[in-house]
Amino acid sequence: MGTVSTGSDAQLDRNALAALYEETFRNLEEGTITEGRVVALTKDKVVVDIGYKSEGMIPGDQFSTEELQNLKLGDKLQVYIEECEDADGNLVLSKEKADKMKIWEELEKLYKEEKSIEGKIISRIKGGMMVDIGVKAFLPGSQIDLHPVRDLDGLVGKTFPLKIIKINHRRGNVVVSRRVLLEETRDKKRQTTLANLKEGQLIQGMVKNITDYGAFIDLGGIDGLLHITDMSWGRVGHPSEMFSVGDKVEVTVLKYDRETGRISLGLKQKSADPWTNVAGKYPIGTRVRGRVVSLTDYGAFVELEPGVEGLVHVSEMSWTHEVRHPSRVVAVGDQVEAAVLNVDPASRKISLGMKQTAPNPWDMIETKYPIGTRIEGKVKSLTDFGAFIGLEEGIDGLIHISDMSWTKHIKHPSELFKKGQKVEAIVLRIDKEKERLSLGYKQLTRDPWDDEIPSRYHVGDSVTGKVSKVADFGIFVELEGGVEGLIHISEAGLESQTKLEEKFKLGEEVTAKIIKVDREERKIALSLREHHLDTDRRQMDEYHASQGSLDQSLGRAAKQSRKRQQSDD
């Protein structure tokens, strides 16, 4: 026999159910996340039971294709309650918003715990980069790396560990930093490196930066300087010749100053100094071969072996011609042969000579061109004091201006010669040590001062010639036979204010008196003043002589007149 419910019991059951219903409704607040169970699946929607009075529907486009394929009835989902009842009384749920809220919760947790998160750089924007960390976050340009990044576009698509430095869920703002993590890593490495660092140890590093004076090496959170002078025992023009940024290198710790934190590094110290045995390896007179590594105005540096260079001075490059600049003879990279002239290990200097590997033409000069030899050559250059004549490659002779003419006063060699002209000359003197060869041009002919000039020109004679030069001190007059005589300014017979060039013109014919013939000095001195005085005396004598003849004629005429008068009487 069954139990019959009374009216009061039925009312109690209804109240209990209403209370349970009300409790369920209170626990499900809009804007919260709850767990639900999939109860139905279609192409366009997923139906989820969250224990509410009605089931909720989630649009299918909030799921990826893969998620929809793997989803099964009964699967549990975290969902976001958008509305408990819409206009149609339906429960509105969102998986997409639930996922985002979970992400924000995770981000806030990471921020509080100061942990890192992987982020993918998706685009470059003003002031930095946009990063995907589940939500879009801003990576300022100053927080990308420890140093400024030039190619920001090259970072797009790359993934880096990042640290959240600012977050605002309400505004949807997240700011991240990569630099903070790099600094933390660097500081940890720095402490480890410094704890183990000691002078003399070998340490691995990476070239971080290159300057004109050296390279900065990252030793692991701390930088050391590898100075250019400690890179190689040899010559290094610029650190970039040996290293590029990013190169790995093993170096020696030369000095570590714990107070300043400065670290000096060395590379060449890993090997023995090649100059230790240079004197024994390259004794004076040794023939060597090497590569030209640099040129200066004064010579060429030749590498004999790594770390050992010698200098070929410009004066030691050729016997045969004057080298004005090493580039006329050699170029960087050339292989050359030379002789060791001097070794100074203390100063780390080796003097080399290239010309010493070939015979010196001046050693044979006396045999090839003995004094008195008649030679032929071309005029190479003219100077105020003479003309240089090229006899062969490297052998030049000088015709001094005093050896150009027996009879003429040569003011400049250009009066007789021009560049490139073929001339003959006589070898007068040889100086092997100074490599000088003196030539004579006037010696090609007999000296007219031996007998011809002294016998033709005598003191007291009057001679006529043409003005060949006008100098401050006098006038040169070319006489017969090409001989020049000088009328000194004191013998020109001019008033004190009158200048020679105003009175005498080139080519003008003048007559003067010879007042001196100096055979030793090969000079003829002339005087216009004396010539004029002689002319005046001669004219006076002629005048007096003519006056005497007139008086005699008048006397004879008077005497004859008296005789005629007497006879008439």
Side-chain angles (χ1 to χ4, degrees), residues 216-234:
F216 286 93
I217 311 298
D218 183 356
L219 304 176
I222 188 170
D223 295 344
L225 173 62
L226 175 58
H227 197 271
I228 187 171
T229 57
D230 290 310
M231 290 183 176
S232 171
W233 291 112

Side-chain angles (χ1 to χ4, degrees), residues 487 491-492 504 510-512 526-533:
I487 302 173
E491 298 294 336
F504 300 96
V510 296
T511 301
L526 305 175
S527 175
L528 277 173
R529 184 174 57 81
E530 288 293 333
H531 172 67
H532 291 325
L533 288 174

Side-chain angles (χ1 to χ4, degrees), residues 231-520:
M231 290 183 176
S232 171
W233 291 112
R235 178 185 297 271
V236 179
H238 194 275
S240 59
E241 296 175 8
M242 296 189 63
F243 301 106
S244 297
V245 173
D247 286 351
K248 292 182 178 180
V249 60
E250 185 181 56
V251 290
T252 301
V253 179
L254 301 181
K255 187 177 180 181
Y256 171 38
D257 189 331
R258 294 186 180 276
E259 291 185 3
T260 63
R262 292 179 180 175
I263 303 172
S264 298
L265 305 173
L267 180 63
K268 70 180 184 182
Q269 289 79 3
K270 292 173 60 180
S271 60
D273 185 354
W275 281 88
T276 305
N277 192 36
V278 160
K281 194 171 182 180
Y282 302 104
I284 294 175
T286 306
R287 291 283 188 94
V288 294
R289 285 190 65 82
R291 181 175 63 90
V292 177
V293 291
S294 67
L295 300 178
T296 67
D297 291 340
Y298 54 85
F301 285 92
V302 178
E303 184 184 57
L304 305 182
E305 62 178 83
V308 179
E309 295 176 8
L311 171 65
V312 182
H313 194 270
V314 69
S315 63
E316 302 294 344
M317 289 189 167
S318 175
W319 294 115
T320 57
H321 60 278
E322 180 183 357
V323 181
R324 295 187 177 181
H325 195 275
S327 59
R328 300 287 183 92
V329 180
V330 295
V332 172
D334 287 354
Q335 292 287 332
V336 298
E337 186 176 9
V340 178
L341 304 181
N342 189 43
V343 180
D344 186 352
S347 300
R348 305 174 79 87
K349 293 180 180 179
I350 297 179
S351 297
L352 303 174
M354 290 170 56
K355 69 183 184 182
Q356 286 77 6
T357 62
N360 183 358
W362 283 92
D363 290 340
M364 304 295 293
I365 194 71
E366 292 176 333
T367 303
K368 196 167 185 179
Y369 302 104
I371 294 174
T373 304
R374 191 184 188 104
I375 59 90
E376 184 181 81
K378 284 187 177 181
V379 177
K380 292 186 69 176
S381 62
L382 300 175
T383 68
D384 291 340
F385 56 83
F388 284 95
I389 311 300
L391 307 185
E392 61 179 75
E393 185 68 26
I395 302 295
D396 295 342
L398 172 66
I399 302 177
H400 194 270
I401 197 167
S402 62
D403 288 311
M404 291 184 177
S405 175
W406 293 114
T407 58
K408 293 183 178 180
H409 173 76
I410 306 298
K411 192 173 182 179
H412 194 274
S414 59
E415 296 174 22
L416 288 179
F417 307 114
K418 61 181 180 180
K419 193 173 180 180
Q421 175 184 346
K422 281 188 177 182
V423 297
E424 288 186 338
I426 300 294
V427 178
L428 302 180
R429 290 173 299 279
I430 296 174
D431 188 338
K432 274 178 54 177
E433 292 185 1
K434 295 183 179 179
E435 297 184 355
R436 292 177 181 174
L437 185 64
S438 298
L439 305 176
Y441 182 72
K442 69 183 182 181
Q443 288 81 0
L444 291 169
T445 59
R446 189 171 58 85
D447 185 357
W449 283 92
D450 286 342
D451 51 19
E452 181 181 344
I453 292 175
S455 63
R456 178 185 295 183
Y457 299 99
H458 306 93
V459 174
D461 291 350
S462 291
V463 290
T464 300
K466 291 183 178 180
V467 176
S468 57
K469 294 184 189 68
V470 179
D472 293 338
F473 55 85
I475 311 109
F476 288 94
V477 179
E478 184 176 349
L479 306 176
E480 186 180 354
V483 181
E484 277 190 341
L486 173 64
I487 302 173
H488 192 270
I489 190 171
S490 61
E491 298 294 336
L494 300 179
E495 295 179 3
S496 59
Q497 299 299 323
T498 306
K499 294 183 179 180
L500 292 175
E501 60 267 22
E502 295 175 355
K503 184 66 176 176
F504 300 96
K505 305 301 179 185
L506 293 178
E508 179 184 349
E509 194 172 83
V510 296
T511 301
K513 182 180 179 179
I514 298 174
I515 58 175
K516 185 178 180 180
V517 178
D518 190 333
R519 187 171 179 176
E520 295 297 325

Side-chain angles (χ1 to χ4, degrees), residues 69-123:
Q69 289 176 350
N70 295 328
L71 203 60
K72 301 185 296 296
L73 294 176
D75 285 352
K76 293 182 179 181
L77 291 177
Q78 294 288 321
V79 295
Y80 176 83
I81 302 174
E82 289 200 65
E83 292 183 84
C84 290
E85 280 188 50
D86 62 5
D88 299 325
N90 297 321
L91 173 66
V92 181
L93 304 176
S94 172
K95 174 184 176 296
E96 188 175 62
K97 290 185 177 179
D99 289 344
K100 285 187 177 180
M101 284 192 69
K102 285 171 61 181
I103 291 174
W104 279 101
E105 289 175 0
E106 180 65 23
L107 293 178
E108 288 178 341
K109 181 180 179 182
L110 292 174
Y111 173 66
K112 291 178 181 178
E113 296 177 356
E114 296 187 354
K115 293 183 179 180
S116 63
I117 185 173
E118 291 287 321
K120 183 178 181 180
I121 297 177
I122 55 178
S123 65

